[in-house]
Amino acid sequence: MNNILRLTALEMAEKLRSGALTSVELTQACLERINQHNPRIHAFLHVDAEGALATAKKIDEKRAQGEELHPLAGVPIAIKDNIVTRAMPTTCASKMLEGWLPPYDATVITKIKDAGLPIVGKTNMDEFAMGSSTEHSAFGVTRNPWDEERIPGGSGGGSAAAVGSFMVPLALGSDTGGSIRQPGSVTGTVGAKPTYGAVSRYGLVAMASSLDQIGPVARTVADAAALQELIAGHDPYDATSLSDEVKPLSNIAEEYARKDSLEGLTIGVIKELSAGEGFQEEVLQSFQAVLNDAQAKGARIVEVSCPSFEYALGAYYLIMPAEVSSNLARFDGMRYGLRVEPEEGPVTAETVMAATRAAGFGDEVKRRIILGTHVLSAGYYDAYYGNAQKVRTLVQQDFDKAFAEADVLVSPTSPTTAFKFGEKSDNPMSMYLNDIATIPANLAGIPGISFPCAIAGEERMPVGFQVLAPAHQDDTMYKVARALEKIIGEPLAQQCPASAWEDE
Ligand code: GLN
């Protein structure tokens, strides 16, 4: 592998600034890597070599002319395929949107283009972001670079695998119930879900609007923080956008970690998410080892209890499908993408919609639309949707109480390491249980990050550590995650077998 691809995004940016590297060279190296390994790994659904190189060239020219550039200018990035990119295919890994060329850019894309990061392409995902393994993509699975027989997590498996296999240093994901953090966890990469509203959702194809949030994917905590800084900020196009000032997250995190002490920090271990059935032994051991190290560095470790988390998964699987059923109603064969006419009988608006939706959506999407329509129907609304909303409030109250006792809350990101293809795809419930530790943050709107804390077991698969902070305190989350990453040592993403893949 070209050694420049091993660098972090911030190191690449430094080399671009000093003139040791050009963006064209760097982008070319990413594209070559993608060319060689994407046919096997299938992290990308679409690669835009021409567009990426054109941006790289423009940035190199501007730099040569001494123009003031964004700190990440010239660093290549990949985009999850549910974030709209003008004139570049955006499919949500669904036949429903195959071939769709959006007429506009999402706000995060406008920011990335303004900052001059070459967009190398769009990454694979579970269809419309529904899943935990990327096995629900209509265009084929993505492979985990640590073991190609295993899933890369989901729904953002493509972004995680692209970053984990050194095809790009940075990517964007979306997290509705864990789709940035859980793929991070099982691919040894870093993924963060910002505070709800910190990053604009304008141009993110909606799954469940009250839970969806765009966030960064990287190989180090500081890189993720730098990318969040770039994409965050108030957006008048998103009614739920916050007006918080955007803090220098990567500097804050770096400065805190430099102290090399966790004196004064209280870490709350969420009892319900760090023990018990479903959690792999090696995951729990790796998690505990980090806590021991943190304690040795002066942190106070306390146990906190969030009793209503027992019902969080259930509440999520009522609220999320309810919103899905309403958000996906727009894919009706009339306005976007696919249009299929019935094979027999009259061609009416209704029969075209039915035929289009039958052909365009996969099983998991259909399952959730049916479930969501059911829980919202008259007679069931109070029993299901109404009660789920009450649980959502209880989850928020549990977090409030826990954050009164600790600065941050922690748990393993995912109860298991990467599982094998097919292991859970036939049983939706077992797949859903994988999100047990990530979902509460979405229900409460708080920020959460996953970073690799160990390579565990005989299979040598990465384990993710999750740090949660109160809403609006993304800086606290990055600070603590960066300090813990430093205690663990060299970023574990470097140990991915992908770093030894031969390039021709
Ligand atoms: N795996 C979860 C689900 O299937 C989360 C999805 C997401 O965050 N987009 O709903």
Side-chain angles (χ1 to χ4, degrees), residues 129-132 155 175-179 207 316-317 320 368 435:
M130 300 176 200
S132 305
S155 61
D175 192 310
T176 303
S179 283
M207 177 183 164
Y316 171 83
Y317 275 96
M320 174 273 295
R368 296 191 192 198
D435 303 325

Side-chain angles (χ1 to χ4, degrees), residues 43-362:
F44 285 89
L45 292 176
H46 174 78
V47 177
D48 181 20
E50 213 177 295
L53 285 170
T55 303
K57 189 160 168 267
K58 203 166 10 150
I59 289 300
D60 286 341
E61 283 164 8
K62 285 188 178 179
R63 202 183 302 275
Q65 283 156 12
E67 247 184 72
E68 174 114 29
L69 297 172
H70 186 277
L72 289 175
V75 178
I77 188 166
I79 309 292
K80 188 177 180 181
D81 207 25
N82 59 350
I83 298 174
V84 306
T85 41
R86 195 166 64 82
M88 190 191 286
T90 300
T91 68
C92 296
S94 178
K95 288 198 189 116
M96 192 58 101
L97 283 176
E98 196 169 6
W100 183 51
L101 298 177
Y104 72 109
D105 278 324
T107 295
V108 292
I109 298 299
T110 303
K111 284 176 184 267
I112 283 168
K113 287 185 176 172
D114 287 349
L117 283 76
I119 295 176
V120 299
K122 306 296 290 286
T123 57
N124 199 13
M125 52 187 279
D126 285 296
E127 184 176 11
F128 284 104
M130 300 176 200
S132 305
S133 66
T134 315
E135 289 167 292
H136 297 309
S137 166
F139 306 123
V141 301
T142 295
R143 298 187 176 277
N144 189 321
W146 290 77
D147 176 350
E148 292 169 33
E149 297 307 310
R150 289 174 195 270
I151 59 100
S155 61
S159 282
V163 170
S165 63
F166 304 89
M167 292 176 181
V168 276
L170 296 173
L172 286 186
S174 70
D175 192 310
T176 303
S179 283
I180 297 176
R181 289 164 287 158
Q182 182 261 11
S185 174
V186 299
T187 60
T189 54
V190 176
K193 181 196 95 67
T195 294
Y196 183 77
V199 175
S200 169
R201 288 183 296 111
Y202 179 72
L204 169 66
V205 178
M207 177 183 164
S209 313
S210 77
L211 303 157
D212 297 343
Q213 187 58 196
I214 294 175
V217 177
R219 283 190 298 270
T220 65
V221 174
D223 279 3
L227 181 53
Q228 181 168 330
E229 261 172 80
L230 196 175
I231 58 173
H234 180 69
D235 179 12
Y237 290 150
D238 173 358
T240 59
S241 171
L242 297 171
S243 46
D244 296 9
E245 78 166 307
V246 181
K247 295 186 188 149
L249 299 170
S250 58
N251 283 346
I252 292 175
E254 220 40 79
E255 225 165 85
Y256 181 75
R258 213 171 293 136
K259 286 197 313 198
D260 217 29
S261 158
L262 297 178
E263 217 62 67
L265 178 75
T266 304
I267 296 177
V269 179
I270 304 174
K271 189 172 125 203
E272 289 76 6
L273 300 182
S274 54
E277 213 191 319
F279 284 87
Q280 246 170 25
E281 199 45 46
E282 57 259 45
V283 168
L284 293 178
Q285 281 166 5
S286 308
F287 174 71
Q288 188 56 46
V290 178
L291 296 177
N292 296 346
D293 289 349
Q295 194 163 25
K297 287 277 178 192
R300 195 165 71 90
I301 314 283
V302 298
E303 187 178 81
V304 298
S305 177
C306 296
S308 60
F309 284 16
E310 187 185 341
Y311 309 106
L313 189 81
Y316 171 83
Y317 275 96
L318 294 171
I319 294 168
M320 174 273 295
E323 295 188 26
V324 159
S325 71
S326 140
N327 274 325
L328 270 61
R330 73 192 72 182
F331 302 104
D332 57 4
M334 303 289 143
R335 285 164 289 189
Y336 302 89
L338 190 71
R339 180 191 170 91
V340 176
E341 297 200 349
E343 268 170 28
E344 48 194 54
V347 178
T348 66
E350 265 179 28
T351 59
V352 169
M353 285 181 197
T356 301
R357 289 164 73 82
F361 289 139

